[in-house]
Amino acid sequence: MSDAASIRALGIDAGSTTMKMVGVDAEGALVWHALEEMDPRIEAQAERLLDVVRADGCPDSLPLIATGYGRRLITRADRKVTEITCHARGVHRELGHGGTLIDIGGQDSKVIVVSEEGKVVNFSMNDKCAAGTGRFLEVVSGRLRMPMDAFADTALAADGEVGISSTCTVFAESEMISLLAHGAPVERIVRGLHRSLVQRVSALARGAGLRPPVMLSGGVARSRAIRTLLAETLRQEIVLPRHPQLMGAYGAALLALGA
Amino acid sequence: MTLGLAKYQHLAVSFLGRGALRYERLRQEAKLKRKGSWKSERFAPPLSTSPRLKELISLHYLKGRTADERGPVAWVTSGAPVEFLVALGYYVLYPENHGAVCGIRRVSEKISVHAEDAGYSRDLCSYARTDIGAALSGETPVGRLPRPDLLVACTNICQTVLLWYQVLAAHFRVPLVIIDTPFLYGEATERDIDFVRKQIEEAVAVAERVAGRSLSESRLMQVTRRSKEATELWLKVMETGKAKPAPITAFDEFIHMAPIVEMRGEQFTVDYYRAMLQELEARVRQGSGAVLRERKRLIWDNLPIWPRVRWLSEKLADRGVSLVASTYTNAWGELADLVDPEHPLESAAKVYLHPILNRGTGHKLATMEKMVRDYQADGVILHSDRSCKPYSIGQMDQRERLGTAAGVPALLLEADHNDPRSFSEEQAASRLAAFFEVLEA
Ligand code: SF4
């Protein structure tokens, strides 16, 4: 992107699997972004991204807010804010309304009930079990040697579904293997695996007191199969922001701007 | 051990021990009085009654070390009617309180493992595991626990105690009295009260037989009177938290509640809470809060996370958050009105039917809503206690209702009251951070 010169504030989201940086202009529009796989040296990676944005023409010493698991390590940030507040802020600005935001990240999933004014009313987190997170899809698709897109397409193309009863990622994986060994069709198993993640997330959403519309953010939101099955299970339309993965960093940048 | 030796040892431990504890209290009191001796950016200095509390608790366990050499000993559940046992001269031990002591001293995991090694599941309440582990191994941070002559389990807190006490009865080969309290979905009926009263009467008969003496009516009335007085004072102590800033937090109450739970019915307990109340009232007049720079006020639901009480209290105080009340500590004060010293057994039946855990989840919700109003709270922390199912059930709905009906946000914090393995500091910290942001938005 070449709009870096108009950046007035920055946000960094140091998540569990990716690091995102977003720049906003004086009006709060998302004008620049970068996304990388997470590097274990969080601080150095953040510095590198700052160099990149500066090389693109971004002015020096702009306000910066960090969010995500690694936020505490980003010493350059003026302030550290949790993903809950940042995601709510980013999505509210992007979509212009409140509702229930479901954020399925690489290592946890969250449900955030957002008021019409963009305030967090309530939130629920699943950080105890990998089965409701992106990690689950990674593990099972990796086992089937399917890239993520093909994995989602396979689920949607299936003409039926095999129920996965295990409540744990590791056991779901072995259940899948034994189903394959018994000759169950791969597509149906894949759909069942998606369903199992969706059911966990839906339970979390209902527990938080679901308020329509349902909005989705986080890396897993890119999966068409998850979106379709989630809409089906919750019986709600799913609204998606333009860059679901960037909403945390976008919210951080907006907060840094004071917008 | 021969009786002579036992007596000698008791005298030595109790005489020397008492002296040492008294000396320690005087030293602590003098230290608190010295100006400038308290340096904290977060909290007001401890109450001047705190050293006395420490002495009371230590003395209680010190007496316990040799109690079984001197007289009858009963182990009872926290919700069991205790007044008749005190009146009969029993030394009363509360395994749940002992469990809490183990939790605070961070040895509950180590002791629970003895029970787990013996086959007790980790899904069992961590108090039960700590207690069974202590019984099996003899390990305890308080020196020694006296062997029980009698066990009393009352089902008004949960059904876990039913089986837990059967395990103890088999282990110690002593009589077990069970007092079964029907669950109250609404008001208690005459039949409920009568049913419980009859069981208490039967319990008295067993306790008399085990102790080899009979219950004196006037002594029971005296103990019940003291119990009522202490309960009323404890309620008033907690109610000083309504002041802004609150002179006491629920974290303080978690510690100061020990006498009302395990030394109810004693005159020194009454005296203790009277002194504490006076001091708190003075702090209210001076406008001094327990948390310096109190900015937000929260209510706590469920048992404390014993191994993490300090960590959590500091985390909250760092953000100017004061925990002004809790449903847990309130449980030992809210029934004061029901106690009638003129009719000790009849009123005991009523009192011990009404603990918060023996009533529906709607009642708990109403209690929290009232607390939010009375204490002008900004939010609620619902500790979802992996061990205590009866306390944690319904919290999902309660959280939502608190938002809609009481208009305050509530946080579900997953942990365990006594098993540190069910607590993740990082995850708890990130939830709390998000909750603080919601409170401040
Ligand atoms: S389950 Fe709950 S009420 Fe029962 S003993 Fe354990 S902590 Fe107490």
Side-chain angles (χ1 to χ4, degrees), chain A:
Chain A
M1 284 197 194
S2 54
D3 294 325
S6 64
I7 296 179
R8 291 296 168 269
L10 291 164
I12 293 189
D13 179 357
S16 59
T17 41
T18 51
M19 182 178 280
K20 285 85 63 174
M21 186 184 283
V22 159
V24 293
D25 67 13
E27 268 71 57
L30 196 163
V31 291
W32 188 94
H33 79 263
L35 188 151
E36 284 185 359
E37 290 291 305
M38 189 67 175
D39 182 327
R41 287 156 305 217
I42 294 174
E43 170 114 58
Q45 187 177 21
E47 285 299 327
R48 202 173 58 241
L49 285 180
L50 282 168
D51 287 344
V52 173
V53 71
R54 258 187 245 116
D56 263 7
C58 166
D60 268 342
S61 54
L62 290 177
L64 168 71
I65 285 184
T67 187
Y69 276 108
R71 64 181 180 277
R72 252 157 289 159
L73 293 172
I74 300 171
T75 47
R76 284 282 294 276
D78 303 303
R79 215 152 47 93
K80 285 120 195 171
V81 179
T82 65
E83 306 95 283
I84 304 279
T85 302
C86 290
H87 272 269
R89 188 51 165 268
V91 170
H92 182 262
R93 165 73 194 237
E94 174 80 14
L95 298 174
H97 53 70
T100 304
L101 171 62
I102 301 181
D103 170 61
I104 314 177
Q107 213 170 50
D108 68 5
S109 41
K110 313 175 195 74
V111 172
I112 310 165
V113 182
V114 187
S115 74
E116 274 317 301
E117 302 75 48
K119 287 212 168 126
V120 176
V121 179
N122 196 353
F123 65 90
S124 244
M125 281 163 104
N126 159 32
D127 46 19
K128 297 275 177 239
C129 164
T133 74
R135 185 81 192 122
F136 175 77
L137 292 181
E138 256 173 52
V139 170
V140 288
S141 65
R143 187 74 196 200
L144 291 171
R145 307 228 165 113
M146 276 189 196
M148 272 301 181
D149 288 344
F151 193 54
D153 291 342
T154 310
L156 288 175
D159 60 351
E161 196 170 310
V162 177
I164 302 287
S165 56
S166 295
T167 50
C168 148
T169 304
V170 177
F171 289 141
E173 193 185 342
S174 39
E175 188 174 344
M176 167 182 94
I177 291 163
S178 91
L179 285 167
L180 286 171
H182 282 90
V186 179
E187 320 81 65
R188 292 187 186 186
I189 299 178
V190 170
R191 197 179 166 97
L193 289 164
H194 278 82
R195 177 77 66 192
S196 109
L197 184 143
V198 161
Q199 267 165 352
R200 300 186 146 259
V201 175
S202 304
L204 196 68
R206 289 199 199 94
L210 190 120
R211 255 191 220 186
V214 175
M215 309 171 283
L216 204 57
S217 70
V220 176
R222 285 172 308 159
S223 160
R224 214 155 51 86
I226 293 291
R227 293 200 306 264
T228 311
L229 294 189
L230 199 58
E232 209 177 288
T233 306
L234 289 174
R235 296 210 190 97
Q236 296 281 342
E237 227 181 284
I238 307 284
V239 191
L240 204 65
R242 257 177 310 159
H243 306 283
Q245 250 184 310
L246 299 179
M247 288 302 104
Y250 182 38
L254 288 170
L255 287 168
L257 186 69

Side-chain angles (χ1 to χ4, degrees), chain B residues 96 125 127 157-158 160-161 164 303 357 387-388 390 417:
Chain B
E96 289 154 72
C125 165
Y127 271 165
I157 49 169
C158 66
T160 301
V161 295
W164 165 8
L303 280 84
L357 291 187
S387 269
C388 191
H417 65 267

Side-chain angles (χ1 to χ4, degrees), chain B residues 56-311:
Chain B
L56 282 183
I57 301 174
S58 308
L59 211 56
H60 180 70
Y61 283 106
L62 182 71
K63 280 191 222 157
R65 284 190 193 201
T66 54
D68 46 357
E69 309 283 352
R70 283 171 289 128
V73 172
W75 287 22
V76 307
T77 61
S78 65
V82 68
E83 287 74 13
F84 71 90
L85 293 168
V86 175
L88 274 167
Y90 274 84
Y91 174 85
V92 182
L93 181 95
Y94 285 82
E96 289 154 72
N97 270 63
H98 173 249
V101 171
C102 296
I104 293 172
R105 303 258 189 103
R106 304 209 176 186
V107 292
S108 50
E109 178 184 340
K110 193 165 148 262
I111 297 178
S112 301
V113 167
H114 293 296
E116 289 159 27
D117 287 349
Y120 294 96
S121 159
R122 256 186 77 180
D123 289 326
L124 183 62
C125 165
S126 51
Y127 271 165
R129 276 181 286 133
T130 307
D131 184 47
I132 294 173
L136 292 176
S137 67
E139 247 180 74
T140 163
V142 301
R144 176 180 178 268
L145 295 178
R147 221 188 110 81
D149 301 294
L150 176 69
L151 299 162
V152 182
C154 184
T155 61
N156 57 3
I157 49 169
C158 66
Q159 300 298 311
T160 301
V161 295
L162 208 60
L163 294 154
W164 165 8
Y165 276 64
Q166 282 173 17
V167 169
L168 291 178
H171 178 77
F172 290 112
R173 296 171 196 275
V174 293
L176 161 64
V177 173
I178 288 168
I179 296 170
D180 182 26
T181 47
F183 192 80
L184 299 185
Y185 291 95
E187 292 301 308
T189 62
E190 277 308 313
R191 246 181 90 199
D192 294 331
I193 297 169
D194 204 44
F195 177 61
V196 176
R197 184 181 49 78
K198 281 191 184 128
Q199 293 178 78
I200 298 178
E201 282 166 6
E202 282 166 24
V204 170
V206 177
E208 285 179 327
R209 203 171 59 239
V210 170
R213 57 182 84 133
S214 50
L215 181 64
S216 135
E217 183 81 4
S218 61
R219 173 83 177 117
L220 178 63
M221 281 158 96
Q222 182 195 44
V223 172
T224 308
R225 207 170 299 122
R226 285 177 185 162
S227 185
K228 181 178 173 83
E229 213 179 329
T231 310
E232 284 169 346
L233 285 164
W234 173 240
L235 191 61
K236 287 194 184 133
V237 159
M238 290 187 290
E239 282 173 350
T240 61
K242 289 180 184 169
K244 266 187 169 177
I248 182 169
T249 70
F251 291 115
D252 303 320
E253 291 170 13
F254 292 155
I255 310 299
H256 285 273
M257 71 191 287
I260 195 65
V261 182
E262 60 191 350
M263 296 166 232
R264 230 171 18 239
E266 303 280 5
Q267 186 57 42
F268 56 76
T269 301
V270 176
D271 298 342
Y272 173 71
Y273 287 123
R274 186 167 292 128
M276 190 178 168
L277 180 61
Q278 259 173 18
E279 191 175 359
L280 286 168
E281 284 171 341
R283 285 197 178 188
V284 171
R285 283 195 296 276
Q286 293 154 6
S288 91
V291 169
L292 306 177
R293 292 179 292 278
E294 173 189 300
R295 291 192 299 125
K296 295 284 170 188
R297 300 158 64 84
L298 298 181
I299 306 288
W300 177 269
D301 181 48
N302 216 328
L303 280 84
I305 305 168
W306 291 117
R308 287 316 185 104
V309 167
R310 186 168 172 174
W311 177 84

